[in-house]
């Protein structure tokens, strides 16, 4: 741009007025936990989400908050987060009584959960397409997920694929055993950070692995519940104030279930009094390992809805627990066992230096508490990323806990083969203690549990595949890739383990991912689902049918340039789950359970309304 001159004939070093660039982030206020914790322990939190222009609702590119109160048959005034009076204060202040804050918090937490999930996954997640009345996907409308903060008057919240929405309820607290609520007060599920993150995760997992909505074995609905709990719970470790306070009250043992009060600590009391005389004597539950405290207390549960440590190590529960939340607690406890084990191992040198200076007892210095908090937050983020990346290393159908353990081991090994922190061994031992044994593994060792990697020439190269860039694929590139992959999969049916004479093998999804390994080298892969479906009667002579699916997850590498040429993409992993007589019998039995019912799309799927209504 040429420099201009002013009236005095001097060169103007300032450029003419131009459009001001939009900010990169939008600050919004939320409850870090829920309203029951008031303003203490950093419960009033300001989070940063990517900036986008929003219509009142708020309505953006990925989410649309629609505040229709089904019980009162009324719409509440939508919040305008682009209003200057709202922008200048970083969003509305937390309020249980203002529906506009409810809308703000719902948008903020759902957006933050999605952004953290996508950052860990290494790619953008696409919501499952909404379904028309005839069961066909709708492509001519923006693919937003709808969020309804006051959908009904009930102690429930759930993701509904048919409505392409997440519905949040509200209810009256118990008149007795109401916890930190007034008897009969209204409790809003949309104001629980944990519940919003949990429900958003259900939609994210459905976007990544659509066939995980089909409960083909008892682990599938339990995995959905456990994984959503993991995402919500790991978020607790990003709250610095709560982390520091908890570390000081537990002497650094983050996994302690109860906290001693600050006054008890000052008096040298090591635990709660046998018969509490004042509130300072009452042991407080550890907020880091409790999920949805207000919901649990308002329902008369005397604590959080669920706990990260609700299942002690034993190998019996995996054989007896079938209810999705109960069975899900096994997976949650296993992952948090591994997480706390690694945290303790990393924190030990700090404690050794601290004790060597003559310090004794459980009380720790604020500086040490801050160092431990930083360490815990880093370790929690590490485990969160391993869990999310593992989705790309799972078979596309009929997931089991053993499959997910193998996926976690492989996902971590793929980027960090040295495992200097011992993460993979901690995961293996935590799952072993809880009786989780993977199918198909020959040895209980790190290499024995990893999915077997393929030599570059084990399968034919995938000629012409386009990997695009980190911003994604154009529609033309995606169409071309779809044609290439369907043709390649069909030509290699037998090699992939599919029935060569059976129905066509579909490719329901494919996504490029960009990740950096331990050496700093960029790894570019294409994650591909290939699924073959046979339709069979639920039982002999039955008129109702059920799909029986076999599937393979392909991880296709884009190799680096060699001698001035780029080799054709090759398959690094082919993670298969094919039909066996035992699987077929199990799937037929699962399809008849009352927790499974036909949807408008004609598929059988998990009914989260029923599952969550039982909490």
């Amino acid at each position: 741009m040429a420099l201009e001159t002013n009236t005095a004939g001097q060169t103007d070093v300032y450029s003419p007025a131009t459009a001001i660039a939009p900010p990169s982030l939008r600050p919004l206020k939320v409850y870090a936990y829920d309203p029951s914790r008031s303003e203490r322990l950093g419960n009033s939190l300001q989070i940063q989400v990517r900036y986008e222009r929003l219509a009142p609702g708020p309505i953006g590119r990925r989410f649309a908050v629609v505040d229709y109160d089904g019980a009162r048959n009324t719409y509440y005034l939508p919040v305008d987060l682009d209003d200057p009076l709202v922008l200048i204060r970083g969003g509305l202040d937390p309020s249980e009584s203002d529906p506009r804050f409810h809308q703000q918090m719902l948008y903020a937490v759902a957006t933050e959960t999605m952004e953290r999930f996508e950052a860990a996954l290494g790619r953008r997640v696409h919501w499952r397409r909404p379904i028309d009345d005839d069961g066909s996907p709708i492509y001519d409308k923006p693919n937003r997920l709808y969020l309804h903060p006051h959908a009904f008057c009930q102690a429930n919240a759930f993701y509904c694929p048919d409505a392409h929405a997440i519905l949040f309820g509200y209810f009256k607290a118990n008149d007795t055993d109401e916890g930190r609520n007034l008897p009969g007060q209204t409790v809003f599920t949309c104001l629980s950070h944990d519940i919003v993150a949990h429900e958003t995760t259900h939609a994210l997992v459905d976007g990544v692995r659509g066939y995980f909505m089909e409960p083909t074995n008892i682990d599938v609905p339990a995995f959905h519940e456990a994984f959503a709990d993991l995402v919500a719970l790991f978020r607790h470790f990003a709250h610095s104030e709560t982390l520091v306070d908890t570390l000081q009250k537990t002497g650094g043992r983050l996994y302690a279930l109860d906290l001693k009060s600050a006054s008890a600590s000052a008096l040298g009391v090591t635990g709660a009094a046998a018969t509490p005389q004042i509130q300072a004597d009452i042991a407080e539950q550890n907020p880091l390992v409790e999920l949805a405290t207000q919901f649990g207390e308002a329902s008369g549960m005397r604590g959080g809805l669920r706990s990260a440590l609700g299942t002690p190590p034993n190998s019996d529960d995996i054989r007896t627990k079938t209810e999705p939340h109960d069975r899900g607690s096994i997976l949650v406890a296993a992952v948090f066992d591994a997480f706390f084990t690694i945290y303790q191992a990393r924190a030990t040198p700090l404690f050794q230096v601290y004790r060597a200076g003559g310090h004794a007892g459980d009380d720790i210095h604020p500086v040490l508490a801050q160092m431990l908090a930083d360490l815990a937050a880093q370790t929690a983020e590490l485990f969160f990323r391993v869990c999310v990346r593992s989705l790309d290393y799972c078979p596309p159908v009929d997931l089991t806990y053993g499959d997910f353990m193998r996926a976690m081991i492989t996902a971590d090994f793929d980027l960090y083969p040295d495992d200097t922190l011992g993460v993979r061994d901690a995961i293996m031992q935590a799952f072993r203690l809880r009786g989780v044994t993977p199918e198909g593994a020959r040895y209980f060792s790190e290499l024995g549990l990893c999915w077997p990697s393929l030599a570059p020439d084990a399968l034919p190269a995938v000629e012409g595949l386009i990997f695009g860039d980190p911003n994604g694929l154009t529609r033309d590139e995606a169409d071309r890739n779809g044609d290439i992959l369907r043709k390649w999969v069909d030509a290699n049916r037998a090699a992939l383990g599919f029935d060569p004479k059976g129905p066509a093998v579909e490719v329901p999804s494919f996504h490029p991912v960009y990740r950096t390994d331990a050496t700093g080298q960029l790894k570019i892969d294409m994650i591909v689902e290939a699924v073959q479906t046979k339709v069979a009667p639920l039982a002999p002579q039955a008129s109702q049918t059920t799909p029986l699916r076999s599937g393979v997850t392909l991880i296709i590498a884009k190799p680096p340039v060699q001698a001035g040429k780029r080799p054709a993409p090759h398959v690094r992993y082919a993670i298969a789950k094919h039909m066996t007589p035992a699987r077929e019998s199990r799937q037929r039995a699962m399809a008849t359970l009352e927790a499974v019912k036909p949807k408008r799309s004609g598929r059988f799927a998990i009914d989260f309304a029923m599952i969550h209504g039982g909490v």
Side-chain angles (χ1 to χ4, degrees):
M1 180 181 293
L3 294 176
E4 298 184 355
T5 57
N6 58 25
T7 55
Q10 299 170 326
T11 300
D12 190 350
V13 296
Y14 299 102
S15 61
T18 58
I20 298 175
S24 58
L25 298 173
R26 179 193 294 270
L28 290 171
K29 299 170 186 175
V30 300
Y31 288 116
Y33 294 95
D34 55 47
S36 70
R37 301 197 67 82
S38 186
E39 297 296 318
R40 60 202 183 95
L41 296 177
N43 189 38
S44 181
L45 180 70
Q46 188 174 74
I47 61 176
Q48 306 276 350
V49 298
R50 283 196 292 267
Y51 176 82
E52 61 173 335
R53 289 192 179 275
L54 296 170
I59 298 173
R61 290 187 296 272
R62 309 290 295 279
F63 293 103
V65 179
V66 179
D67 201 355
Y68 173 72
D69 190 328
R72 293 179 170 84
N73 192 26
T74 186
Y75 283 94
Y76 294 116
L77 183 69
V79 66
D80 183 1
L81 294 183
D82 282 344
D83 185 316
L85 296 178
V86 177
L87 281 171
I88 201 169
R89 61 198 299 171
L92 299 174
D93 293 331
S95 169
E96 291 182 82
S97 60
D98 188 347
R100 294 171 301 173
F101 172 73
H102 298 197
Q103 300 157 13
Q104 170 184 297
M105 176 160 171
L106 190 51
Y107 168 81
V109 176
T111 301
E112 180 198 43
T113 302
M114 177 194 69
E115 290 175 358
R116 291 181 63 241
F117 195 96
E118 291 181 334
L121 195 61
R123 58 182 169 88
R124 183 173 175 174
V125 175
H126 299 277
W127 307 122
R128 175 188 291 277
R129 283 282 173 183
I131 300 297
D132 208 342
D133 290 336
D134 62 0
S136 59
I138 299 173
Y139 290 99
D140 59 349
K141 294 181 180 179
N143 191 15
R144 298 186 180 99
L145 186 68
Y146 293 94
L147 307 175
H148 301 281
H150 309 104
F152 45 77
C153 185
Q154 185 183 352
N156 201 352
F158 58 89
Y159 165 58
C160 180
D162 281 354
H164 200 58
I166 304 177
L167 292 81
F168 295 86
Y170 59 92
F171 65 101
K172 298 291 185 182
N174 276 6
D175 290 333
T176 59
D177 293 330
E178 72 282 352
R180 284 169 290 192
N181 301 286
L182 290 175
Q185 82 166 62
T186 302
V187 175
F188 299 95
T189 61
C190 67
L191 294 184
S192 168
H193 200 299
D194 293 339
I195 291 175
V196 176
H198 177 105
E199 300 307 330
T200 304
T201 302
H202 282 313
L204 289 165
V205 173
D206 189 27
V208 174
R209 284 284 194 256
Y211 289 119
F212 285 6
M213 285 294 292
E214 296 184 346
T216 48
N217 68 74
I218 57 175
D219 281 355
V220 177
F223 171 80
H224 249 287
E225 292 305 309
F227 195 87
D229 281 354
L230 286 170
V231 171
L233 285 163
F234 274 128
R235 179 56 189 161
H236 291 182
F237 294 84
H239 303 161
S240 179
E241 290 182 46
T242 309
L243 263 178
V244 171
D245 181 80
T246 302
L247 284 159
Q248 290 179 314
K249 290 181 177 180
T250 62
R253 294 183 293 275
L254 280 176
Y255 52 85
L257 295 178
D258 293 329
L259 308 181
K260 59 181 180 179
S261 67
S263 57
S265 177
L267 294 170
V269 179
T270 58
T275 304
Q277 302 297 316
I278 60 172
Q279 61 180 294
D281 288 340
I282 302 173
E284 181 183 3
Q285 291 181 312
N286 185 344
L288 298 178
V289 299
E290 290 289 313
L291 189 79
T293 301
Q294 185 185 33
F295 186 105
E297 290 184 340
S299 303
M301 299 175 66
R302 298 175 181 254
L305 187 60
R306 288 184 291 281
S307 170
L309 299 172
T311 305
N314 70 81
S315 58
D316 296 327
D317 288 345
I318 197 71
R319 301 184 184 93
T320 60
K321 290 188 174 183
T322 58
E323 193 277 327
H325 295 108
D326 289 344
R327 192 171 184 85
S329 68
I330 300 171
L331 178 58
V332 173
V335 172
F336 267 85
D337 181 335
F339 160 61
F340 285 127
T341 297
I342 297 302
Y343 159 75
Q344 285 291 99
R346 298 181 72 186
T348 294
L350 294 177
F351 279 108
Q352 289 173 335
V353 172
Y354 186 66
R355 304 304 181 204
H359 301 280
D362 286 341
D363 294 330
I364 58 177
H365 193 276
V367 173
L368 176 60
Q370 186 60 60
M371 295 174 68
L372 292 171
D374 294 341
L375 188 64
Q378 294 167 10
T379 308
E381 183 64 18
L382 184 156
F383 271 84
F384 170 76
R385 288 178 175 268
V386 170
C387 288
V388 174
R389 285 201 315 268
S390 299
L391 292 174
D392 281 343
Y393 293 80
C394 291
V397 297
D398 201 30
L399 181 71
T400 65
Y401 280 3
D403 294 335
F404 185 65
M405 178 176 71
R406 297 189 72 177
M408 291 183 73
I409 300 297
T410 310
D412 192 64
F413 179 85
D414 212 19
L415 290 184
Y416 307 104
D418 291 338
D419 192 21
T420 55
L421 296 177
V423 169
R424 294 194 288 276
D425 183 67
I427 292 170
M428 289 166 52
Q429 300 307 323
F431 276 78
R432 179 186 63 80
L433 289 172
R434 289 162 179 84
V436 177
T437 55
E439 299 176 6
R442 297 183 60 188
Y443 305 102
F444 192 81
S445 65
E446 184 178 298
L447 292 179
L449 293 177
C450 276
W451 298 117
S453 59
L454 302 179
D457 58 352
L459 289 169
V462 189
E463 301 282 354
L465 197 61
I466 303 170
F467 288 81
D469 60 44
N471 293 316
L473 299 168
T474 67
R475 181 165 297 179
D476 288 341
E477 290 171 337
D479 290 343
R480 182 176 172 185
N481 278 349
D483 293 338
I484 291 171
L485 289 168
R486 282 187 289 270
K487 182 178 179 180
W488 186 92
V489 168
D490 187 66
N492 294 279
R493 282 190 184 200
L496 294 173
F498 293 114
D499 182 356
K501 298 180 180 180
V505 180
E506 62 174 328
V507 180
S509 73
F510 52 88
H511 305 281
V513 294
Y514 295 76
R515 293 166 180 159
T516 305
D517 65 14
T519 66
Q521 181 178 353
L522 180 64
K523 299 185 71 170
I524 304 175
D525 289 315
M526 184 77 73
I527 311 297
V528 181
E529 289 182 284
V531 177
Q532 186 178 51
T533 303
K534 297 180 180 181
V535 178
L538 275 176
Q541 288 82 48
S543 59
Q544 193 174 10
T545 60
T546 185
L548 303 175
R549 307 191 198 277
S550 298
V552 178
T553 295
L554 301 171
I555 300 181
I556 304 173
K558 178 181 181 180
V561 173
Q562 299 176 9
K565 296 182 179 180
R566 188 181 302 281
H570 65 272
V571 178
R572 295 200 302 118
Y573 291 97
I575 302 166
K577 182 62 79 75
H578 291 301
M579 192 57 61
T580 64
R583 280 191 62 221
E584 182 174 338
S585 175
R586 185 175 63 200
Q587 288 189 28
R588 290 177 192 270
M590 287 295 296
T592 62
L593 296 179
E594 64 176 352
V596 183
K597 63 181 182 181
K599 301 292 184 177
R600 283 196 303 160
S601 59
R603 299 187 320 118
F604 286 97
I606 299 169
D607 187 344
F608 288 117
M610 178 178 288
I611 290 175
H612 290 183
V615 296

